[in-house]
Amino acid sequence: MAIICSSAGCKYRVPDLLAAEGLCVLHFTLSLEQTCNDLRRQTALGQVSRERIEEIHQFLQQRGELLARVSTAGLGLSDEMKARILATFLTLINLRENLDRVTARLATSKILS
Ligand SMILES: [Zn+2]
């Protein structure tokens, strides 16, 4: 039986690849972008440990791989959805770059202290 997206009011079907998330492709990308924005805000404050940065690296890798699998699974995505997925990849890439800057700052502050 088809699983329907768990996002309020959404009637779209959940692709098999996203069964664990319980979300349609649209709401998976929206949820991922929201999480990335929250993580960027956390890391921007500079109060982030190396362990936390490593956790975020893992998160980015896992979500990026899942998004790549979903986007190449032949789901017959609309052009609008393809553009949305590309925007989400860009969000992942930008968060990764942001993390690298935070890591560089941490390294510098360690050298100086
Ligand atoms: Zn949905």
Side-chain angles (χ1 to χ4, degrees):
M1 207 182 96
I3 306 171
I4 301 301
C5 178
S6 64
S7 186
C10 182
K11 302 278 182 243
Y12 284 116
R13 198 177 158 269
V14 174
D16 291 346
L17 281 166
L18 294 177
E21 326 299 320
L23 293 171
C24 68
V25 178
L26 171 65
H27 283 108
F28 176 63
T29 60
L30 291 175
S31 141
L32 196 45
E33 293 205 20
Q34 181 62 53
T35 306
C36 285
N37 287 336
D38 292 346
L39 290 171
R40 189 162 48 225
R41 224 168 291 128
Q42 277 175 32
T43 56
L45 298 173
Q47 306 277 333
V48 64
S49 66
R50 284 184 188 285
E51 291 73 25
R52 183 70 182 131
I53 289 174
E54 189 46 45
E55 281 172 15
I56 299 172
H57 278 169
Q58 302 267 334
F59 168 83
L60 285 173
Q61 190 182 341
Q62 289 164 359
R63 299 287 93 170
E65 283 173 7
L66 182 54
L67 189 59
R69 285 206 301 276
V70 168
S71 61
T72 55
L75 297 173
L77 301 167
S78 66
D79 286 348
E80 198 177 41
M81 189 56 66
K82 290 174 197 168
R84 161 127 292 288
I85 288 171
L86 289 178
T88 304
F89 272 120
L90 187 59
T91 302
L92 293 174
I93 293 166
N94 287 338
L95 177 57
R96 172 62 208 229
E97 287 180 354
N98 183 273
L99 272 185
D100 288 346
R101 281 193 291 275
V102 171
T103 306
R105 268 207 308 272
L106 280 177
T108 308
S109 65
K110 203 158 207 172
I111 291 166
L112 295 176
S113 60

